[in-house]
Amino acid sequence: MAEEQEKKQPEKPELKDMSAICPIGEVLVIAEHILGDLQPVTLELLGAGRILADKMGQPLLCLVMGHELGDMPQRLLDHGADRVYVADHPELKNYRTLPYRRVVCDFLESLPSQPHTCLLGSTTTGRDLAPRIAAHFDTGLTADTTELDIGPYEHTSKVDPSKIGLYPNCLYAIRPSFGESLKARILGPWKNPQMATTRPGVMVPLPRESRKGEIINIPVNLQETDHRLTVKEIVREVAKGVNLTEADVIVAGGYGLGTQDGFNMLQELAGCFENSAVGASRKVVDLGWIPYQNQVGQTGKTVRPKLYIACGISGAIQHRVGMSKSSLIIAINKDPDAPIFKFAHHGIVGDCYQIIPEMIKQFKQAQSTSGVKEVVGTH
Amino acid sequence: MASGYKIIVMVKQVPDTGSKAGLNPDGTIDRARAKRMLNPFDKFALQAALHTKKMYGGSVTAISMGPPPAVEILLEALEHGVDRGFLLSDRRLAASDTLATAYALYKTIQYVGDFDIIFCGLQTTDGDTAQVGPQLAERLNLPQVTYCEDFSVQNGEVHARRIIEGGHQTVIAKPPLLVTIANSYHPLEYKSFRGAWRVQQLQRKQEELAQYIKTVTLDDVGADPERCGLKGSPTIVAKTEKVGELGGSCSIHEGKAVDELVKEVITGCNVKEFLAAGKK
Ligand SMILES: Cc1cc2nc3c(=O)[nH]c(=O)nc-3n(C[C@H](O)[C@H](O)[C@H](O)COP(=O)(O)OP(=O)(O)OC[C@H]3O[C@@H](n4cnc5c(N)ncnc54)[C@H](O)[C@@H]3O)c2cc1C
Ligand SMILES: Cc1cc2nc3c(=O)[nH]c(=O)nc-3n(C[C@H](O)[C@H](O)[C@H](O)COP(=O)(O)OP(=O)(O)OC[C@H]3O[C@@H](n4cnc5c(N)ncnc54)[C@H](O)[C@@H]3O)c2cc1C
């Protein structure tokens, strides 16, 4: 019976217009930098935020906290923000949860109305800060999104009848889940700001163009309890020497190599290729098998070579985000269920210590047959 | 106990995604059929809690929120040397998002009592948000250290190393505080024979076990049901969609002689293009 009625009334006139609950509004991006180094994810968020703001015909705001930020506010304008709010204070020089949390909460509370959307990077900083802001304002937060959009939502669940209705402008926060096999669209249409953290390396930044906009300084009122934690030291290992990001071919090793010596074999394999380099997972960098410069992944380098050979690497999400855009990925792993086989192009199930020497052998053979002409030519 | 730390460790039971049982055809988890396990990340938190107790004295309380079978992971924690456990279990908690979860856990912690350090896992393998720890810290008005991979106490101050993009940082804070432990922390030690035996004995006498593991409801901990479950959750999962595995399909090469496998891959793609010119 109920079903038939619904068929006759495809318009569903009973759905109330709920646009007053979460009205359209600005999009706010919270900027991130480490030791004065603006993080690429911030520019990516500005690119994504620009699209959302334009859809709603609203301004794109950016909040940056720090000390002596130089031309950073202008750069944020140049990459798409209409208004940049600057909180400058010596105590904000380096990220700490509580002082940054204080500034963001005070800032949002000072606004006449809440932004529609608030975005942070899905980094060790963004994922540290965003949940605190969301909890403070009792608003929804979607983790680690890879797609963002604005669209309508019809809420028909009868659990809370007061919520039934049509919400015309919701933030669609889309995130991979269950080992990336599903995409979940998460909504939080009951309250602004609708918050999300976004995975680095996914959104596309706008090119830097000289753009006009407003730069506004905002007050910083830290309290004693904001200083309960101090930063003793920050170690940022800036990569030198190895040009991982420019290599055409990367041969990367993980914990499956078993020992540090395994990297000698990888070096030899890399040596078979033109413009090649050796990469690694964080686990083996932490073990001291290979320097930090060689680390690929969320907290290492993002690389995009033509060929990536992963040896004894399980394919954890933090590793994957640094290399999944490689044109061709070959994975060697002895576990047929290793996650890396879900996104590599070719997977060899086997022991590195059998496969790699055989690869080196076959590549060398291929070289000596195809390289004959050049040998003659160069002599 | 006059000295030492009152330590709390937060543990969650998750579906065992490693086992194929309990997966629906569309890729979602059938929670009724799926095997269950202790969230793998929480093992690192458990290790941090037990190690801190071993080094500096004190007691460890494990807290979990979940349906009745979640008592299994509290038993497991007990076997590893945790002193007692609390399970918050209530139908009204169904469909809680991270905010509602953090609220319910916050009320449970207040009910359990005083503490110095709360350890959480970095994230779970099901919701995978890494949000509950910091949201709990916000509710409790605590400083936090997330992504922690090394932890010690010196002269009453916590020294913790946390992962950051491009390296790590060391931070110092006095308890009380909340710490989320990353998977680069030390792995959980095997449970002792004594621990396992003790729990086995306890399970024979339910009344005695109840002294160590207590199941509580929203009413017990004084939580407002309006702020829990679907009602208290600002987010909803509106839609899920199955996606082809990332990066398309992987051709798997296996079960052949090594030279065959390698030849197959080399001929299967254009690897040779990238080879350096041959040796002189
Ligand atoms: C905040 C944060 C940031 C992180 N950043 C990064 C990052 O930037 N980069 C990164 O890589 N990780 C990062 N990680 C760590 C990441 O989660 C994984 O722990 C790490 O990538 C695992 O490294 P692995 O694959 O070498 O080791 P494991 O996960 O231990 O995998 C080893 C693999 O080798 C296979 N294997 C074993 N023996 C053999 C053999 N003989 N032959 C072939 N295969 C074999 C096994 O089957 C297994 O799949 C980060 C983690 C966190 C929490
Ligand atoms: C596919 C999917 C996507 C989701 N996405 C979101 C989202 O984007 N935003 C959102 O708000 N909710 C989301 N949820 C809901 C969320 O998973 C639940 O709220 C869950 O109760 C807690 O989140 P988590 O598993 O991500 O925990 P995390 O925040 O990843 O857990 C971190 C740590 O907190 C502690 N902890 C977490 N839960 C418990 C517990 N029940 N008992 C004891 N300790 C605990 C543990 O120490 C754990 O290691 C999603 C759920 C699903 C299934």
Side-chain angles (χ1 to χ4, degrees):
Chain A
M1 273 284 284
E3 267 178 25
E4 268 178 21
Q5 265 182 2
E6 276 197 8
K7 269 180 205 153
K8 277 181 208 149
Q9 297 176 321
E11 301 284 304
K12 288 189 210 149
E14 73 275 17
L15 273 188
K16 248 196 339 211
D17 177 11
M18 306 296 267
S19 49
I21 299 218
C22 281
I24 55 169
E26 298 99 336
V27 174
L28 172 68
V29 168
I30 297 182
E32 184 181 323
H33 54 87
I34 302 178
L35 298 175
D37 213 357
L38 189 61
Q39 293 298 287
V41 71
T42 298
L43 303 182
E44 295 160 16
L45 288 176
L46 287 173
R50 185 74 262 167
I51 297 172
L52 301 180
D54 288 347
K55 271 203 163 169
M56 294 189 282
Q58 292 285 324
L60 175 62
L61 318 181
C62 184
L63 169 62
V64 58
M65 295 162 270
H67 186 48
E68 294 168 342
L69 290 165
D71 74 340
M72 206 184 286
Q74 183 60 45
R75 276 179 71 195
L76 297 167
L77 287 180
D78 291 350
H79 280 281
D82 297 309
R83 257 191 329 250
V84 174
Y85 293 89
V86 181
D88 185 309
H89 192 284
E91 291 288 349
L92 298 175
K93 190 169 169 56
N94 296 315
Y95 173 74
R96 281 185 301 150
T97 316
L98 296 180
Y100 272 56
R101 170 207 165 277
R102 173 79 57 198
V103 173
V104 178
C105 291
D106 285 353
F107 168 69
L108 286 172
E109 270 158 10
S110 76
L111 296 175
S113 66
Q114 287 306 302
H116 176 275
T117 292
C118 174
L119 305 174
L120 291 93
S122 182
T123 57
T124 57
T125 302
R127 291 182 97 163
D128 187 79
L129 180 59
R132 294 206 66 136
I133 313 285
H136 180 79
F137 289 101
D138 280 320
T139 196
L141 170 63
T142 306
D144 204 25
T145 55
T146 53
E147 287 170 54
L148 298 168
D149 204 352
I150 304 280
Y153 169 61
E154 292 178 3
H155 189 68
T156 51
S157 155
K158 299 194 174 61
V159 174
D160 184 352
S162 69
K163 282 183 176 166
I164 294 177
L166 171 68
Y167 298 76
N169 299 293
C170 303
L171 174 69
Y172 288 179
I174 297 161
R175 57 178 305 224
S177 48
F178 297 122
E180 319 270 318
S181 63
L182 281 184
K183 268 201 303 197
R185 181 192 290 172
I186 313 241
L187 305 181
W190 328 123
K191 192 162 185 187
N192 284 349
Q194 300 170 47
M195 294 184 66
T197 60
T198 298
R199 193 179 286 179
V202 178
M203 304 297 172
V204 185
L206 295 168
R208 184 171 184 175
E209 269 171 44
S210 177
R211 289 175 85 256
K212 285 217 174 62
E214 265 183 287
I215 296 177
I216 301 164
N217 286 300
I218 61 167
V220 176
N221 294 308
L222 300 180
Q223 296 179 12
E224 216 177 292
T225 50
D226 295 336
H227 302 294
R228 282 176 284 173
L229 180 146
T230 52
V231 175
K232 187 172 141 208
E233 121 183 281
I234 299 178
V235 182
R236 262 208 116 199
E237 295 149 274
V238 182
K240 288 187 208 88
V242 198
N243 231 338
L244 263 191
T245 43
E246 265 143 49
D248 287 327
V249 177
I250 294 175
V251 179
Y255 190 61
L257 288 177
T259 80
Q260 182 168 9
D261 298 337
F263 278 96
N264 297 336
M265 181 172 77
L266 298 197
Q267 203 78 54
E268 195 181 347
L269 178 58
C272 297
F273 298 99
E274 203 83 73
N275 190 22
S276 61
V278 171
S281 71
R282 181 173 181 119
K283 196 159 171 176
V284 295
V285 170
D286 281 347
L287 287 168
W289 293 1
I290 186 162
Y292 172 76
Q293 281 92 285
N294 301 73
Q295 185 185 318
V296 173
Q298 183 194 329
T299 50
K301 292 225 183 54
T302 302
V303 297
R304 224 180 248 220
K306 294 179 180 146
L307 172 62
Y308 192 94
I309 308 184
C311 312
I313 293 179
S314 58
I317 182 66
Q318 295 92 349
H319 187 78
R320 178 199 297 183
V321 294
M323 46 64 78
S324 63
K325 300 230 172 90
S326 309
S327 315
L328 178 62
I329 301 168
I330 299 178
I332 306 165
N333 197 304
K334 68 174 185 193
D335 174 7
D337 292 324
I340 195 149
F341 290 139
K342 297 221 169 94
F343 60 98
H345 301 100
H346 285 272
I348 308 180
V349 181
D351 184 337
C352 285
Y353 287 92
Q354 293 179 355
I355 305 290
I356 296 171
E358 179 62 28
M359 273 191 163
I360 295 171
K361 192 175 126 201
Q362 293 196 21
F363 286 148
K364 286 201 166 143
Q365 274 169 8
Q367 282 172 333
S368 56
T369 47
S370 71
V372 176
K373 259 190 224 149
E374 272 167 73
V375 173
V376 174
T378 47
H379 269 270
Chain B
M1 165 147 307
S3 71
Y5 292 104
K6 293 188 209 67
I7 301 161
I8 290 179
V9 59
M10 309 300 297
V11 290
K12 183 182 179 187
Q13 191 173 50
V14 296
D16 182 351
T17 41
S19 82
K20 300 235 156 54
L23 277 187
N24 290 323
D26 66 352
T28 55
I29 290 169
D30 177 350
R31 281 171 201 264
R33 276 194 308 134
K35 283 195 183 152
R36 301 176 295 262
M37 63 178 184
L38 171 61
N39 173 32
F41 287 89
D42 295 348
K43 293 189 176 173
F44 296 98
L46 199 50
Q47 175 65 22
L50 293 168
H51 183 73
T52 304
K53 174 182 165 180
K54 188 165 141 196
M55 296 297 290
Y56 315 105
S59 65
V60 181
T61 303
I63 298 179
S64 187
M65 165 183 136
V71 81
E72 294 158 5
I73 62 166
L74 291 176
L75 286 170
E76 189 176 342
L78 219 56
E79 288 179 326
H80 279 281
V82 156
D83 298 282
R84 57 178 184 162
F86 288 85
L87 174 65
L88 174 69
S89 199
D90 198 306
R91 278 170 184 279
R92 291 168 289 179
L93 286 163
S96 294
D97 75 352
T98 59
L99 195 83
T101 301
Y103 168 75
L105 290 173
Y106 148 72
K107 293 306 269 187
T108 312
I109 289 171
Q110 284 195 321
Y111 166 84
V112 164
D114 221 13
F115 62 86
D116 299 299
I117 306 166
I118 300 175
F119 289 104
C120 290
L122 176 60
Q123 60 197 54
T124 65
T125 49
D126 61 345
D128 190 19
T129 64
Q131 290 176 181
V132 170
Q135 291 184 326
L136 203 47
E138 179 68 18
R139 290 273 174 260
L140 291 160
N141 185 19
L142 291 177
Q144 71 190 31
V145 182
T146 55
Y147 296 95
C148 174
E149 50 177 9
D150 196 25
F151 178 95
S152 64
V153 187
Q154 297 162 28
N155 304 321
E157 285 181 329
V158 165
H159 290 237
R161 196 177 112 156
R162 73 181 289 264
I163 303 175
I164 58 169
E165 273 63 25
H168 57 84
Q169 65 177 182
T170 310
V171 297
I172 302 177
K174 279 206 175 74
L177 84 168
L178 182 144
V179 185
T180 77
I181 300 286
N183 55 349
S184 38
Y185 188 80
H186 310 279
L188 181 59
E189 285 166 29
Y190 289 111
K191 49 192 156 202
S192 69
F193 176 72
R194 245 188 82 221
W197 183 78
R198 188 173 139 247
V199 172
Q200 211 176 32
Q201 295 302 306
L202 277 178
Q203 279 180 283
R204 298 222 179 108
K205 298 172 232 150
Q206 286 302 319
E207 11 15 299
E208 229 174 279
L209 183 63
Q211 292 174 10
Y212 292 91
I213 296 182
K214 209 169 156 186
T215 299
V216 291
T217 64
L218 289 180
D219 303 320
D220 293 328
V221 303
D224 176 1
E226 294 290 310
R227 297 182 68 180
C228 301
L230 199 58
K231 276 196 167 175
S233 296
T235 66
I236 37 175
V237 181
K239 193 174 136 189
T240 56
E241 191 183 317
K242 198 169 160 64
V243 282
E245 303 291 6
L246 259 201
S249 52
C250 177
S251 342
I252 295 286
H253 308 270
E254 64 183 322
K256 297 203 179 108
V258 170
D259 55 338
E260 287 290 314
L261 286 178
V262 172
K263 195 173 277 166
E264 228 175 68
V265 174
I266 294 180
T267 46
C269 55
N270 54 350
V271 184
K272 279 190 188 165
E273 265 181 39
F274 312 119
L275 288 179
K279 295 223 175 71
K280 285 157 276 187

